[in-house]
Amino acid sequence: MFLPPPDRYWRIGTLLVIGIVMLVSFFGFHRWWEECRGGDPWGYYAHLPAFFIHHDGDNYQKTIDASQEVWPDPRKTMPLTDIGRSCNKYPIGVAVLLLPFFLLGHSYALINGLPTGGFNAPYALSCQLGVIFYVLWGLYVLFGILRRYFSLSVTVLLTIALALATNLYYFTTYNNMMAHALLFALYCFILYAIHYFEDNPANYRRAAAIGLIAGLITLTRLSEVVVVLIPLLWGVYSWQTLRRRRDFLMQHWRALIVAAIVMAIVLFPQAAYYKFVSGHWWYYAYTGESFNFRHPRILDGLFSYTNGWLVYTPIMIFALLGIFQLRRFAPSALGPILVFLSLHIFITYSWWCWNYINGFGSRPMVETYPLMAFPLGAFFSWLSVKRWKLLLPVTIVILFTSLNVFQTIQLYAGILWSENGNKAYYWAIFGSLKASRRSLIAYESRESQPRQKLIKISKLIENSIENSSQEHRDASIHHSGQYSVCVRDSALTTIIEDTREVRPGDWIRADVWGFQRRGEDSTRRENTALLVVEIWDDQGKMLKRRGINITTKIANPTYSIWTPGGPEEWAEADFFVHVPRNFPPAGRIKTYVWNPHKQKLYVDDLSLELWRDEQ
């Protein structure tokens, strides 16, 4: 959109700064080389080498072989349809958008005599730089749209906030071969197309642009078909404007038909692909995965520390608050945002994997950010008219940009793992680039460890494994005394029936020593044995269950959450459990070693202690 010179210079300058930050981050994280190693990125991208290099869209075998020459990964398999062809469940939209950059990488490989299997460096780098190009292009377009509604200073802040203070930054610089960064750009483009059409609805090419972009959005992620509601409802913010919009659409019904036809044409290649691999124009490719519209996980999707949207992109809290100011600053966006956002959230968090692994925060919300820029801008504008002027909006953008970039660095460093996070662990590592024993225990037990000073009241259990009746005793190795126990399944189960001295609010400290021999040590942390504490009430109801992995404390000086631990060393596994406020005088406490994956593990010196606040 045309902007006067001062605005144009600010737009170019803002995008230049954002582009430099993104490119420096992209090469600094150095993830581009292995981004298509597997998972969703590989599935989205595989259409390109399959159809343009290996011509094996019926089984993808040559494509899989070519990728395994670069990144050995035997898990790349695809289900067969009823006619015996393999179906890539990922829609073709990402491949369509990245086709020019794929061809650029292919040309470079041909000219320089490099391997042309589709998975080496020229292809990976070209396509991922293409994603950054689309995002910057989208931001450039969005800047002009936002400038129609907000002041120049607010528009600059909004552009920076979307690019750097949200998880769009992560999906552009770190994990950018997913669909979401591209969808962000497409939503910027459709907002431009809507305004372009509203300026001259008699121009059918403008209606066709809406159909084209809506088709590309749906082609990229099929559930995004609800995007069609945005142009239909644009300008609606009351019953009166709803009737006006109805009359407008009826008056320009030919434009609607043009948009629908263009959208259908764009979607035809996906239908043709389904026809080719399954014999049907429509084929549900996500076998075993589905929506549960009866029981959506909306609250978890928004607020859970396991990839919850507002936990890992907290600046969007201000966007939600800004909805109440939209009618004042950008009324045309109110109706589309209320309807689209409600449906988008409902559909998104009805998916079986509501926490959407393989990302930082709730990745399907990234594509909503061009729309959410309007209420965020309304909130910033509302703050700006107060006496503080721009001080608060600027502070908000600086604060949350710093937080977002820092947490992305935490994720890069292997400290933050949002898809498997919990509240205790999040706050244990908050603001830190180094893990600690406290944070490792918080991650595993999902409970914050006490920071206040405690005093030891008594030892509730002490099992040194010297009891001659102990099953699976082993005299060949021990931490203290003469014996240890070789754990086979569950072991060392002890129930404390007399808990009269235990008060609600006390702390129970569980402690055991573990050892694994070389050659018998586990290679996967999720398969290691746990030290478990259970707290029950007097009616047989479990009030709390907490546990920590035992061997992850062995040979783990950095307290990494990823390691299963090392061999030939005794190490102590201990943690605190907070006694619930509703724990009754006649409750029970149970502790045991749980080993469902039958890790070959030796344990010794199990104890359970009662601790209390120093006050």
Side-chain angles (χ1 to χ4, degrees):
M1 288 186 176
F2 175 78
L3 292 174
D7 289 24
R8 205 158 54 235
Y9 300 149
W10 272 100
R11 175 161 68 175
I12 293 172
T14 302
L15 268 295
L16 184 63
V17 170
I18 292 172
I20 292 172
V21 171
M22 286 187 168
L23 286 172
V24 170
S25 300
F26 174 76
F27 287 107
F29 291 136
H30 199 66
R31 278 265 306 167
W32 63 269
W33 171 243
E34 58 180 21
E35 177 60 12
C36 285
R37 180 184 292 270
D40 292 5
W42 187 92
Y44 284 117
Y45 174 76
H47 291 293
L48 289 170
F51 281 87
F52 291 96
I53 295 177
H54 304 293
H55 311 294
D56 62 343
D58 58 337
N59 59 32
Y60 288 83
Q61 193 53 57
K62 292 179 181 178
T63 300
I64 292 172
D65 291 343
S67 70
Q68 289 179 339
E69 289 177 4
V70 182
W71 306 298
D73 186 353
R75 295 173 295 169
K76 295 186 182 77
T77 59
M78 295 183 184
L80 296 177
T81 64
D82 292 339
I83 63 174
R85 289 178 173 170
S86 297
C87 179
N88 185 343
K89 70 179 181 180
Y90 298 94
I92 65 174
V94 170
V96 170
L97 291 167
L98 293 182
L99 177 58
F101 301 94
F102 172 81
L103 295 177
L104 183 63
H106 186 62
S107 300
Y108 183 90
L110 285 172
I111 292 171
N112 291 276
L114 300 173
T116 56
F119 291 92
N120 54 317
Y123 300 92
L125 185 58
S126 180
C127 286
Q128 288 174 65
L129 288 176
V131 173
I132 297 176
F133 168 80
Y134 275 117
V135 170
L136 293 175
W137 184 13
L139 288 167
Y140 182 87
V141 168
L142 187 62
F143 188 103
I145 299 167
L146 295 174
R147 187 65 183 92
R148 288 191 171 196
Y149 300 89
F150 307 110
S151 68
L152 177 60
S153 53
V154 167
T155 301
V156 170
L157 283 176
L158 283 174
T159 307
I160 295 172
L162 294 183
L164 304 179
T166 72
N167 53 346
L168 171 64
Y169 169 78
Y170 168 87
F171 285 104
T172 305
T173 64
Y174 190 93
N175 190 0
N176 72 355
M177 285 294 282
M178 306 286 277
H180 308 288
L182 293 171
L183 283 168
F184 170 86
L186 289 175
Y187 272 87
C188 292
F189 299 153
I190 201 166
L191 288 174
Y192 176 86
I194 290 169
H195 287 78
Y196 189 59
F197 173 75
E198 296 291 320
D199 290 343
N200 186 4
N203 189 325
Y204 292 161
R205 285 180 298 177
R206 302 187 177 200
I210 293 177
L212 171 66
I213 300 168
L216 285 172
I217 288 172
T218 308
L219 197 66
T220 302
R221 198 163 181 261
L222 301 180
S223 61
E224 299 291 332
V225 67
V226 293
V227 68
V228 298
L229 295 173
I230 300 174
L232 292 177
L233 293 174
W234 194 262
V236 173
Y237 55 89
S238 65
W239 287 111
Q240 182 180 0
T241 54
L242 178 61
R243 289 192 293 268
R244 192 184 306 158
R245 190 63 179 177
R246 178 201 61 193
D247 295 340
F248 174 84
L249 294 175
M250 290 178 65
Q251 180 184 354
H252 299 284
W253 61 272
R254 291 183 179 86
L256 289 180
I257 292 176
V258 170
I261 290 173
V262 172
M263 183 175 179
I265 292 172
V266 174
L267 291 174
F268 178 77
Q270 185 68 55
Y273 172 75
Y274 287 146
K275 180 70 173 176
F276 172 70
V277 298
S278 71
H280 304 284
W281 291 105
W282 167 252
Y283 178 75
Y284 188 77
Y286 284 80
T287 306
E289 303 175 80
S290 62
F291 293 95
N292 184 354
F293 294 117
R294 287 189 174 186
H295 303 287
R297 300 285 295 275
I298 293 174
L299 291 180
D300 287 330
L302 297 179
F303 302 111
S304 172
Y305 283 85
T306 307
N307 258 358
W309 178 38
L310 299 177
V311 172
Y312 295 99
T313 307
I315 196 171
M316 281 298 152
I317 295 172
F318 301 110
L320 294 177
L321 293 174
I323 291 175
F324 297 101
Q325 297 295 327
L326 258 183
R327 190 162 180 173
R328 176 181 175 185
F329 294 97
S332 296
L334 180 58
I337 286 176
L338 288 178
V339 176
F340 171 82
L341 188 64
S342 299
L343 274 175
H344 185 87
I345 288 175
F346 176 75
I347 293 170
T348 295
Y349 299 124
S350 294
W351 187 240
W352 70 275
C353 186
W354 60 268
N355 62 322
Y356 291 92
I357 59 175
N358 304 324
F360 169 53
S362 191
R363 51 188 170 89
M365 297 306 293
V366 170
E367 45 261 41
T368 70
Y369 295 163
L371 267 181
M372 297 306 294
F374 289 91
L376 185 59
F379 183 80
F380 285 170
S381 298
W382 174 75
L383 288 180
S384 300
V385 299
K386 304 295 182 181
R387 61 179 179 177
W388 306 289
K389 299 297 182 183
L390 281 173
L391 178 60
L392 283 179
V394 169
T395 302
I396 289 171
V397 172
I398 292 175
L399 176 65
F400 287 101
T401 295
S402 302
L403 176 65
N404 185 63
V405 173
F406 182 80
Q407 290 188 330
T408 305
I409 295 172
Q410 280 185 310
L411 192 144
Y412 168 71
I415 297 172
L416 182 63
W417 191 20
S418 62
E419 71 183 55
N420 199 38
N422 60 74
K423 181 179 179 180
Y425 182 64
Y426 178 89
W427 291 108
I429 62 168
F430 189 82
S432 175
L433 283 176
K434 288 186 178 181
S436 64
R437 186 178 181 88
R438 182 194 303 274
S439 68
L440 175 59
I441 292 171
Y443 173 79
E444 295 176 342
S445 67
R446 311 182 77 83
E447 178 155 18
S448 298
Q449 297 301 286
R451 292 185 179 274
Q452 69 272 34
K453 290 185 178 180
L454 303 177
I455 56 174
K456 181 178 174 181
I457 303 301
S458 65
K459 183 164 287 190
L460 302 174
I461 295 173
E462 184 171 17
N463 188 346
S464 59
I465 322 299
E466 301 307 305
N467 188 335
S468 60
S469 64
Q470 181 68 59
E471 189 178 7
H472 303 308
R473 285 198 310 167
D474 193 308
S476 64
I477 188 170
H478 46 81
H479 173 252
S480 68
Q482 299 180 1
Y483 300 98
S484 66
V485 169
C486 182
V487 180
R488 305 291 173 83
D489 194 353
S490 293
L492 307 182
T493 301
T494 305
I495 299 176
I496 304 173
E497 301 283 359
D498 185 0
T499 58
R500 286 175 293 180
E501 64 177 331
V502 179
R503 303 175 187 172
D506 282 348
W507 294 87
I508 303 296
R509 179 179 178 268
D511 183 21
V512 75
W513 287 76
F515 181 95
Q516 50 187 354
R517 294 185 187 275
R518 191 176 306 278
E520 298 176 346
D521 47 320
S522 178
T523 58
R524 296 173 62 89
R525 69 172 312 281
E526 58 268 30
N527 292 341
T528 59
L530 303 176
L531 173 62
V532 179
V533 172
E534 294 177 358
I535 300 178
W536 300 71
D537 67 10
D538 52 355
Q539 303 298 316
K541 177 183 177 182
M542 187 188 297
L543 302 178
K544 178 179 280 192
R545 182 181 188 271
R546 295 289 185 267
I548 61 169
N549 303 75
I550 297 174
T551 56
T552 56
K553 315 302 176 297
I554 303 175
N556 185 12
T558 62
Y559 305 109
S560 168
I561 63 173
W562 304 96
T563 179
E568 303 298 332
E569 181 181 327
W570 281 99
E572 183 181 27
D574 67 301
F575 70 113
F576 284 91
V577 180
H578 204 206
V579 178
R581 296 296 177 183
N582 57 342
F583 182 72
R588 291 184 303 142
I589 299 175
K590 177 181 178 181
T591 185
Y592 56 96
V593 174
W594 188 45
N595 191 19
H597 299 285
K598 302 188 184 304
Q599 177 191 17
K600 194 69 177 294
L601 171 68
Y602 298 86
V603 295
D604 201 354
D605 296 326
L606 173 71
S607 67
L608 211 62
E609 300 169 346
L610 177 64
W611 291 67
R612 190 166 293 155
D613 287 352
E614 198 174 39
Q615 291 104 334

